[in-house]
Each structure stands twice: as C-alpha cells, then as structure tokens.
C-alpha cells in the first residue's frame, strides 16, 4: 500500500516524554486533560495519546506514534458528530501518521442529534457550538494538533492531510475554503455541500411518506427491477450498474406497475406513485418552483435505512437539524417535520446555509499554496445528493478556469455506490494514497481503480474517471476487470 511505502521515507521520533505534554501550555482556550504513552498492542504501535478540549466544549484526541512518518492526518465526522473518530485515527497511527479528530464541540450522548444548538439556561453556548459544528472546531483542532506535534517531535509535519466522508466531506471543503493553510491534501467523500438543501429534501420525502403514499419496503425490489430495466443499458453495457442516473428519465407513472384496485404486492397504488414522483422530483413550493434536487435513481435498496418507514435514522436527524440549527426564528418545541412549509420556511434557513454549506468557489488561495483535492461521491448516494458536489466543482472551474482547476482539484463519481461505500459499484479505493501521490510527487490521478469487495474478496474492478469523464467498455474482455475499460468524455448532451 502506498501509505506504508511512504512511511519509511521520513522516520522520526519524539524529543520529549509523552506525559510532559499534559503540563505544557497551548493557550488559554486549550486544556490538556491527559497525555499517556500507550504500549503497542496488536497492530496498533506504541503512541502518545493526548486528550483535551478547546473552549467551550470541543473535545479532541491526538495520537502520536513513537515511530513517526513526519505526516499529520486529521479525520472527519459523520452525521451530527458529537463523538471523536477514534477508529480512523487509529488506522492512521498504524500507518505512521500523527493523527487527530474532534467531537466538534458537543457530546452526542448528552445532546443527541442537533439539540446541542438549542440555546437554553442549561446550554448557554448553543450558538457557539453550532459554529463549532459547522466549521470552527475542525480548524482549531488542526491548529492545536500541529502545535502538539511540533512540541513532541521537535518538528512540524512535513505534509498534512484531511480525510472525511459525509459530514467529514463537508468539513473538508470548509477547511479548503476558509483555512487553506491547514492541509496540503484533502480526501473529500460525499460532501454535504448543501446541508440545508439535503435536510429540506428529507423533510419533503418524510411528508410524502406520512399518509397513503407510504411505500412498504417489500415493494422496493419491484421498484429497483423496473429502474434497472429502464436505466442499466443506457451507457451501452448491461452490467448491473447505472453509469449516470441523470441520463435515465424514469417516470413512476409510466414505468412501474399500477394497482388496478386495492394495494397488491406486485404493484403501486396511485398514492404511492404520486409519492414516488415527489421523491424523484424533489421539493417544490406550491407554485411549482424547485427548491432542491430530487432523489436520483439507484439508491432504492437502502431507502428503508434512510427515509421510508420504518426509518429511524435520517429523518429524525433532519427534523432535529431543521428545528434546532436551521430555522430562524427557532420554531416552538412542539414543531415536527410535518409542519415544514415549503412556501415560507426555505427563506428562514438562509443564515444557517451561509454557515453550514461550504459553497465558496474561490479556491485560489488553496491552489496558490499547492493544495490538492480528491473528491468522490456515489451516484446512488441515498443520504447526500451528489449533484450539489458536481455543481460546486463546476462553479470552481468557472471561477478559476477548467484547466487550472484540474491542476489541483478532481472529482470522481462512482456508479452504483451508496453513501460513502456499499452498493453494487466499485467504490473501494485507496483515496488517501492517491492524494498523497499528487501532493508529494506531483502525480495527478488520470484515473483510479475502484473495486467491488464482497466478504473480503474483490469481485469486480473498474476505472473511476475524473469528472466529467466516464468509463466505457472497450468491447472485449471481462466486464469485471478495469483493464478492459477506458476513461473518455461523455457523449454530447448525455445529461
């Protein structure tokens, strides 16, 4: 693996004792709670585990391997955060990185979902905690991590990397836009470029599922079958993947079996078809004006985990985010997602959007200092609609120039991949090695080989191409081997 190969190039060790870090001052707003030398165990090497907090409540963990590769990696969060991403941090330490993560300023066990942003006498710092969740705690943790690293090893990191998907992708784009000096390379997965838009979309879908339009999970295989029959072969190859769902004009009223009467297992009622049209069409106001993108075809197998009954994950999270972190003025405590008004409420979340959504296309400062971004999304992402990420890349290209943007920023779309991973696509890839090779050796990724892995075994590989290029079959050889595909520009007017 490339990361391991790089690790031997810059071996370094500490110049002070681990526990001495606990007594060292890193500023009035920073409190170091502990610094413990942890002996090697299993695959995790000996390292110094530093825990602390940044005012008001942003807890962090920094882990410093005794044998250091002179690099720093910071790992992002998921959902509404509230926990430190210790698993990814440990994985980075195994590769020789000094690594850190933050809980973004709140404890999810004590303040679940977005309640941390609700200002009460018991939670007077709610507004600041929302800013910390949006972007600030990541920057402050990156800064303190580098200071701790320099104190412990006697040298600053030679290279610094951000790695995150979902919320972590959104955090990474905020870093690239607001604090381009923090990292040299970014792995940006499934970024919530429009968190407020995605939350609005989920409430729209939730409302469509609160009445007669509720779609039983048992009917999803029927829907999926109809979609693949319609969409799979559009790219010229029937392979169980929808190459670009924007090219498939699926119409539930035309393309799924309708129930003549009643509600049978092999058909959809008129109310369910209307609900499907709302899901794919996306939120609109009462005059028909589009508010946000609708669902792309291909994610249907994981709808039960996200927004159709009996989902208990994404819809409650989105309701909480809208209630406590987005609507201004905040609604009454009795408010729920069924009360969101698509005519009047979108105007009440613009302030939150400016804070939460990383949409500034001016990445010139990052480009000037040599920073690199590798961004990826699954075309079948059921949680974070991938289209705003593409729109953002296009906005950067328009501002800086297409060639100039490709020199430091590339997007890779993965057909068939769900949110961050999973699905029938070939979404397993060593994204960090790709961005390291670009940052440290100047090797821009012309393509990335992605794999589909089942039970630890690779069953298919495909080239993942820099957007807008797409992978096309050469016409000979196994369709399960990447070597038999090439990256090329899509046909004119394909979308």
């Amino acid at each position: 693996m490339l990361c391991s190969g790089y690790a031997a190039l810059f071996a370094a060790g500490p110049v002070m004792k681990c526990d001495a870090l606990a007594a060292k001052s890193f500023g009035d707003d920073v409190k170091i709670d502990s610094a413990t030398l942890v002996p090697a165990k299993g695959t995790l090497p000996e390292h110094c585990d530093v825990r602390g907090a940044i005012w008001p409540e942003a807890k962090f963990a920094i882990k410093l391997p005794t044998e250091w590769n002179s690099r720093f990696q910071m790992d992002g969060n998921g959902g509404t955060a509230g926990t430190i991403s210790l698993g990814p941090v440990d994985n980075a330490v195994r590769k020789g990185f000094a690594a850190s993560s933050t809980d973004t300023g709140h404890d999810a066990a004590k303040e679940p979902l977005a309640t941390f942003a609700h200002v009460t006498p018991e939670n007077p710092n709610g507004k600041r905690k929302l800013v910390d969740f949006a972007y600030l705690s990541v920057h402050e943790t990156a800064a303190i991590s580098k200071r701790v690293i320099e104190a412990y090893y006697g040298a600053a990191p030679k290279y610094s990397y951000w790695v995150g998907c979902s919320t972590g992708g959104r955090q990474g784009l905020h870093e690239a836009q607001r604090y381009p000096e923090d990292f040299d390379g970014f792995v940006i997965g499934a970024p919530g470029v429009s968190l407020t838009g995605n939350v609005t979309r989920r409430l729209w879908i939730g409302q469509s599922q609160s009445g007669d339009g509720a779609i039983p999970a048992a009917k999803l295989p029927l829907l999926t079958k109809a979609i693949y029959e319609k969409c799979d072969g559009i790219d010229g190859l029937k392979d169980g993947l929808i190459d670009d769902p924007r090219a498939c004009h699926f119409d539930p009223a035309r393309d799924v079996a309708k129930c003549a009467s009643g509600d049978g297992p092999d058909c959809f009622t008129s109310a369910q078809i209307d609900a499907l049209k709302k899901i794919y069409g996306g939120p609109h106001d009462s005059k028909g004006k589009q508010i946000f993108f609708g669902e792309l075809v291909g994610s249907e197998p994981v709808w039960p985990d996200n927004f159709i009954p009996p989902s208990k994950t994404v819809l409650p999270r989105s309701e909480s985010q809208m209630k406590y972190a987005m609507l201004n003025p905040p609604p009454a405590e009795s408010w729920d997602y069924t009360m969101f008004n698509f005519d009047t409420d979108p105007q009440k979340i613009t302030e939150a959007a400016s804070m939460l959504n990383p949409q500034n296309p001016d990445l010139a400062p990052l480009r000037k200092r040599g920073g690199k971004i590798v961004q990826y999304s699954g075309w079948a992402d059921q949680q974070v609609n991938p289209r705003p990420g593409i729109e953002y890349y296009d906005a950067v290209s328009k501002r800086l120039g297409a060639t100039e943007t490709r020199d430091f920023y590339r997007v890779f779309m993965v057909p068939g991949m769900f949110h961050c991973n999973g699905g029938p696509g070939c979404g397993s890839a060593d994204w960090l090695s790709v961005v390291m090779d670009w940052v440290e050796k100047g090797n821009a990724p012309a393509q990335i080989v992605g794999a589909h892995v089942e039970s630890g075994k690779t069953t298919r590989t495909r080239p993942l191409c820099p957007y807008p290029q797409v992978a096309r079959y050469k016409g000979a050889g196994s369709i399960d081997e990447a070597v038999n595909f090439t990256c090329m520009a899509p046909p004119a007017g394909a979308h």
Side-chain angles (χ1 to χ4, degrees):
M1 188 161 54
L2 183 58
C3 289
S4 298
Y6 273 61
L9 296 179
F10 306 108
V15 297
M16 66 182 295
K17 289 185 176 181
C18 174
D19 58 8
L21 287 171
K24 188 173 178 59
S25 174
F26 292 97
D28 293 340
D29 288 344
V30 179
K31 182 178 184 294
I32 302 297
D33 295 319
S34 64
T36 307
L37 187 64
V38 179
K41 184 177 180 180
T43 60
L44 193 62
E46 181 181 82
H47 63 279
C48 179
D49 185 332
V50 181
R51 303 297 175 101
I54 304 169
W55 186 91
E57 298 178 35
K59 293 184 175 65
F60 60 80
I62 307 169
K63 295 194 177 185
L64 311 165
T66 301
E67 295 185 14
W68 180 45
N69 68 9
S70 293
R71 298 177 182 82
F72 165 50
Q73 175 179 323
M74 187 167 175
D75 292 288
N77 304 89
T80 49
T83 60
I84 298 172
S85 300
L86 292 175
V89 166
D90 284 348
N91 287 336
V93 170
R94 289 184 179 96
K95 298 172 183 176
F97 290 81
S100 73
S101 178
T102 174
D103 67 2
T104 76
H106 65 279
D107 183 341
K110 297 177 181 178
E111 298 173 303
L113 303 178
T115 58
F116 66 87
H118 185 37
V119 178
T120 65
E122 296 74 31
N123 185 38
N125 295 317
K127 288 187 176 180
R128 167 56 189 261
K129 288 156 90 170
L130 180 57
V131 175
D132 274 341
F133 168 75
Y135 61 86
L136 187 56
S137 65
V138 168
H139 165 63
E140 291 188 335
T141 300
I144 187 61
S145 296
K146 290 183 179 182
R147 293 175 62 197
V148 170
I149 288 169
E150 187 163 10
Y152 190 59
Y153 297 113
K158 187 173 180 67
Y159 300 105
S160 297
Y161 296 98
W162 172 265
V163 179
C165 192
S166 191
T167 293
R170 180 184 63 81
Q171 292 167 327
L173 282 182
H174 270 301
E175 279 289 301
Q177 295 167 20
R178 295 174 182 267
Y179 309 104
E181 70 281 0
D182 282 355
F183 298 98
D184 303 298
F186 297 80
V187 175
I188 304 290
V193 176
S194 180
L195 177 57
T196 55
N198 271 299
V199 167
T200 301
R201 173 180 63 91
R202 293 169 190 151
L203 302 189
W204 171 265
I205 294 172
Q207 289 188 15
S208 82
Q209 296 298 289
S210 61
D212 293 340
I215 299 164
K219 289 191 178 185
L220 292 178
L222 180 67
L223 178 61
T224 300
K225 183 174 183 291
I227 286 169
Y228 273 82
E229 287 176 351
K230 174 86 173 180
C231 308
D232 186 2
I234 289 178
D235 62 347
L237 182 66
K238 277 192 169 288
D239 57 356
L241 294 176
I242 299 173
D243 182 71
D244 182 344
R246 297 175 303 173
C248 180
H249 304 294
F250 179 78
D251 182 356
R254 178 191 62 208
D255 298 323
V256 299
K258 304 177 186 66
C259 298
S261 61
D263 186 2
D266 299 322
C267 58
F268 291 85
T269 67
S270 294
Q272 289 168 348
I273 288 173
D274 287 344
L276 288 173
K277 290 173 70 174
K278 288 182 178 179
I279 291 171
Y280 293 120
H284 291 71
D285 65 18
S286 61
K287 295 181 180 180
K289 179 182 177 182
Q290 184 99 32
I291 298 171
F292 191 69
F293 297 110
E295 193 72 10
L296 289 165
V297 295
S299 67
E300 294 75 14
V302 282
W303 282 9
D305 299 328
N306 295 278
F307 46 67
I308 74 166
S311 172
K312 291 180 172 60
T313 304
V314 177
L315 181 56
R317 181 197 304 161
S318 296
E319 178 184 77
S320 181
Q321 288 173 315
M322 186 61 72
K323 182 176 181 177
Y324 295 116
M326 295 181 181
L327 283 172
N328 186 22
E333 191 63 27
S334 60
W335 186 92
D336 65 35
Y337 75 93
T338 65
M339 301 176 187
F340 188 85
N341 186 309
F342 292 90
D343 283 334
T344 60
D345 284 344
Q347 292 77 35
K348 299 177 183 178
I349 62 176
T350 55
E351 181 181 351
S354 67
M355 180 194 312
L356 293 166
N357 301 343
Q359 295 180 335
N360 180 2
D362 185 9
L363 292 180
L366 180 71
R367 177 177 179 266
K368 183 177 181 180
R369 67 176 299 270
K372 302 289 188 286
I373 300 175
V374 170
Q375 178 177 312
Y376 67 93
S377 287
W379 271 124
D381 192 327
Q382 76 282 10
Q383 289 196 24
V384 176
N385 193 299
R387 284 183 284 193
I390 294 172
E391 282 199 342
Y392 175 71
Y393 177 79
D394 288 340
V396 176
S397 296
K398 183 177 181 180
R399 184 180 182 94
L400 302 183
T403 300
E404 291 79 3
T405 299
R406 278 178 53 85
D407 285 344
F408 77 100
Y409 181 15
R410 298 191 182 187
V411 172
F412 296 83
M413 301 302 298
V414 186
M417 188 175 81
F418 298 149
H419 184 58
C420 292
N421 52 52
C426 296
S428 180
D430 191 350
W431 304 104
L432 178 57
S433 290
V434 171
V435 80
M436 285 175 65
D437 203 33
W438 198 2
V439 168
E440 299 182 23
K441 295 185 177 181
N443 296 326
Q447 68 173 42
I448 300 169
V449 176
H452 181 75
V453 181
E454 295 181 14
S455 302
K457 181 180 179 182
T458 296
T459 59
R460 170 180 279 182
T461 59
R462 284 286 173 87
L464 306 176
C465 307
Y467 180 83
Q469 292 184 15
V470 292
R472 286 293 178 262
Y473 183 51
K474 294 179 181 178
S478 171
I479 65 169
D480 294 328
E481 296 180 9
V483 69
N484 298 318
F485 290 76
T486 187
C487 289
M488 60 185 294
H495 308 138

